[in-house]
Amino acid sequence: MPPAPDGDWPIATLTLRVNGRAHRLAMDTRTTLLDALRDHLGLTGAKPGCNQGACGACTVLIDGKRMNACLTLAVATQGQEITTIEGLAEGEALHPMQQAFIDHDAFQCGYCTPGQIISAVACIREGHAGSAEEIREFMSGNLCRCGAYPNIVKAVQDVAAKGGA
């Protein structure tokens, strides 16, 4: 849709279901899901990285499937369940994958960690944790510039072996 004659883009009123809660928002129709989460809902776990879908720092689950929030328009996610890193824990109890990342030192600077954890949960749920090679292949869309890959694989293997995700 082209901008209005005054140069403003249309504003959409939408309801996003994030981490089990419905949020009614009004925003520019070009707003990415990443920007909606961070700027409109204050959920800053998903990180802006490359803004091209190449690094995975913005990974979230949409109806259980991992997606790059930087490439997804917020208006396109109405009616779907969005899960961010903030929605994995149950109260004070960490999700098993969050705990495994701590137990296996699967992060260093922490910038990519939320996206890595979300992808790791999807890796197990989608049945891609059968071997270290399979985990590395499935997780290849999430970059870690600190090089914590071996420990990330160990964390995924640990949770998969315990039947969690």
Side-chain angles (χ1 to χ4, degrees), residues 32-49:
T32 66
L33 178 58
L34 178 62
D35 290 337
L37 293 170
R38 293 179 63 81
D39 299 340
H40 294 267
L41 297 178
L43 298 172
T44 58
K47 303 288 191 262

Side-chain angles (χ1 to χ4, degrees), residues 116-135:
Q116 294 278 1
I117 290 172
I118 291 287
S119 283
V121 167
C123 178
I124 294 173
R125 286 184 183 168
E126 294 177 17
H128 298 290
S131 68
E133 293 76 25
E134 187 177 23
I135 292 167

Side-chain angles (χ1 to χ4, degrees), residues 92-153:
E92 295 297 314
L94 293 178
H95 183 280
M97 190 62 71
Q98 291 170 309
Q99 187 61 54
F101 266 61
I102 293 168
D103 295 344
H104 292 280
D105 294 323
F107 56 90
Q108 289 179 32
C109 80
Y111 196 82
C112 73
T113 304
Q116 294 278 1
I117 290 172
I118 291 287
S119 283
V121 167
C123 178
I124 294 173
R125 286 184 183 168
E126 294 177 17
H128 298 290
S131 68
E133 293 76 25
E134 187 177 23
I135 292 167
R136 281 193 291 274
E137 176 66 26
F138 186 85
M139 298 288 294
S140 66
N142 290 81
L143 302 180
C144 173
R145 286 173 174 72
C146 298
Y149 298 116
N151 296 348
I152 291 169
V153 171

Side-chain angles (χ1 to χ4, degrees), residues 5-24:
D6 62 3
D8 288 337
W9 284 85
I11 299 296
T13 301
L14 59 143
T15 301
L16 296 182
R17 186 154 181 80
V18 182
N19 300 329
R21 291 187 52 216
H23 302 272
R24 192 146 172 83

